[in-house]
Amino acid sequence: VFSDEDSSAISPHLYKQSVRPRSAYEENLAAAVRALVHTQYRVLLDDILPALEASHNIRILSYRNLTPAQQREQRAYFRRTLAPLITPLSVDQTHPFPTLHSHVIYMQVVLLNPESLITRSVYFRVPAEDRLIALDNGLSFIPVEEICLHNLDLVCEGMELIKAHPFRVTRNVKLDMDDTAFGEDDSLLDFVWEEVHRRRTAPATRLEVSSRMPDDVKNRIIRELMLDPADVFTIPCAFLGLADFMGLAFAPVPELQYPPHVQVVPPRFAKIEANLYKDPGRVFAEIRKADVMIDYPTHSFASSALLFLRAAARDPGTVAIKCVIYRGGADSPLVAALARAAKYGKEVSVLVELKASFDEVRNSAYAQELRSAGCNVSHGLM
């Protein structure tokens, strides 16, 4: 940590530059990303949001725009759901700077004690289960951080909110693993778990701040994260992390949505699933007649590939099953079918890719689940 009072401390960004200056490629890439972010917010603020409000009355409101009844409702929601998830963290001689997780919205707020007239700067993580909270008819939304800020007195009793500034950190969460570096006694699965845990403190690569954040606050965060000014993206509004705003796409306006996609059961498998338990071998008999062409996403995965695995798990003529899993998804029926096949006595061999970006934890859990079910599990590092 570099203090403002220590004039002899080396600036972190100068230290980074002395270790390894930015390459021309990195400079050009940063400029391109910055231009894309600028365009993204320009289109959002100048085109999308005004058009949604003008044509369909879809709006993102601030807390002050709410009616008294709506404010009471959101205060009750905060007390019931959000307040238990908020932990204000102060920074002083006895409280170090908090650990900031990647891709999470944080707030830096200044609170005033009206009795002592002493101000205190605190940080807290914004609960983001639902970033946009729908109001009334579902056409008006309020960001969850607005609800938090205007009801913070329920958490910091006796304190008054003076100002608040959102920010978001991006860390280098890429796993860098070399399977040739492991010995016979090393556990690749354990290494993945350890590396995923280290993501919380991985080097920061980007800081997003609102345009209203004062320079002293911004510079403090920059120093703590060992960033340089080129890593800072100044956003022209308080809407950081636009991926969390997908709730706008589900506003109840049918003409703004695509019609639901209805998957089709492959014609040759149409009557097989109903009798799968009695005659699982019919799937293989049908395939032996001629190849079956499956077209995704037109055809149903559950009624084709998954049906094939479920049939193999129950078919007495099936001896072994071999499969590769790259991304299984949440609550994967594919993993469940393979585990069931192993419990039915089949020899099931599965290669689970452990380095599927941001699915490392889920795939590691699937690997353990399959091994517990009796499958032979190997780990891949693509």
Side-chain angles (χ1 to χ4, degrees), residues 4 19 24 27 31 42 48-49 85 112 166 180 198 256 297 363 376 379:
D4 292 328
V19 173
E27 295 287 355
R42 179 184 57 77
I48 296 178
L49 292 182
L85 304 178
L112 170 68
T180 61
R198 289 194 189 103
L256 295 181
N363 283 8
N376 297 315
H379 306 136

Side-chain angles (χ1 to χ4, degrees), residues 107-333:
M107 299 296 298
Q108 185 273 342
V109 301
V110 177
L111 301 173
L112 170 68
N113 186 326
E115 296 182 357
S116 64
L117 299 182
I118 295 177
T119 60
R120 171 165 293 190
S121 175
V122 301
Y123 299 81
F124 69 87
R125 175 176 178 168
V126 176
E129 290 294 329
D130 295 300
R131 182 78 183 282
L132 285 183
I133 307 300
L135 303 171
D136 301 332
N137 59 4
L139 297 179
S140 296
F141 299 85
I142 182 170
V144 70
E145 55 264 35
E146 283 272 325
I147 301 174
C148 293
L149 289 176
H150 288 84
N151 293 280
L152 203 57
D153 60 294
L154 295 177
V155 178
C156 304
E157 296 184 7
M159 304 292 282
E160 296 179 3
L161 177 66
I162 302 300
K163 52 186 176 180
H165 308 286
F167 66 95
R168 189 174 79 146
V169 176
T170 301
R171 294 186 181 274
N172 181 9
V173 295
K174 181 181 179 181
L175 294 186
D176 188 13
M177 296 181 291
D178 181 6
D179 55 342
T180 61
F182 291 89
E184 295 182 358
D185 297 330
D186 294 326
S187 172
L188 187 58
L189 191 59
D190 291 343
F191 180 80
V192 170
W193 280 104
E194 293 174 2
E195 286 298 305
V196 169
H197 179 71
R198 289 194 189 103
R199 279 179 171 173
R200 297 183 177 184
T201 55
T205 58
R206 180 177 64 170
L207 172 65
E208 296 167 86
V209 301
S210 69
S211 56
R212 295 183 178 181
M213 177 178 281
D215 288 341
D216 61 328
V217 176
K218 178 173 63 177
N219 291 336
R220 173 66 186 273
I221 300 173
I222 289 174
R223 290 197 304 271
E224 294 290 348
L225 296 176
M226 296 290 288
L227 293 171
D228 63 45
D231 300 320
V232 180
F233 286 71
T234 301
I235 306 302
C237 64
F239 300 153
L240 306 185
L242 293 184
D244 297 335
F245 286 73
M246 284 297 293
L248 286 174
F250 299 99
V253 182
E255 58 265 35
L256 295 181
Q257 300 176 0
Y258 290 106
H261 174 64
V262 180
Q263 293 184 321
V264 178
V265 177
R268 291 175 55 190
F269 290 162
K271 299 180 180 180
I272 293 179
E273 189 166 7
N275 298 314
L276 180 64
Y277 296 104
K278 295 181 180 180
D279 187 11
R282 282 192 58 192
V283 173
F284 310 109
E286 188 65 35
I287 294 174
R288 290 189 188 98
K289 295 178 182 177
D291 291 343
V292 180
M293 178 66 71
I294 305 299
D295 175 23
Y296 297 122
T298 303
H299 291 134
S300 167
F301 179 83
S303 298
S304 54
L306 190 56
L307 177 68
F308 178 84
L309 275 178
R310 291 170 56 204
R314 299 179 181 277
D315 178 35
T318 299
V319 177
I321 300 174
K322 300 179 181 181
C323 185
V324 176
I325 297 179
Y326 186 75
R327 296 189 189 276
D331 300 321
S332 173

Side-chain angles (χ1 to χ4, degrees), residues 52-117:
L52 287 176
E53 182 172 359
S55 59
H56 299 286
N57 202 31
I58 297 176
R59 301 175 296 165
I60 298 180
L61 303 176
S62 67
Y63 200 84
R64 295 183 179 87
N65 297 136
L66 302 184
T67 65
Q70 289 175 327
Q71 290 186 1
R72 288 193 297 270
E73 180 182 352
Q74 296 310 316
R75 190 169 179 83
Y77 171 72
F78 177 85
R79 189 193 305 271
R80 180 180 65 254
T81 305
L82 301 178
L85 304 178
I86 292 179
T87 304
L89 301 171
S90 60
V91 179
D92 52 33
Q93 292 84 354
T94 60
H95 298 85
F97 195 81
T99 300
L100 305 176
H101 295 180
S102 185
H103 293 86
V104 173
I105 305 298
Y106 286 89
M107 299 296 298
Q108 185 273 342
V109 301
V110 177
L111 301 173
L112 170 68
N113 186 326
E115 296 182 357
S116 64
L117 299 182

Side-chain angles (χ1 to χ4, degrees), residues 8-21:
S8 64
I10 300 175
S11 175
H13 72 272
L14 293 179
Y15 175 76
K16 287 174 62 178
Q17 291 174 356
S18 66
V19 173
R20 187 184 67 81

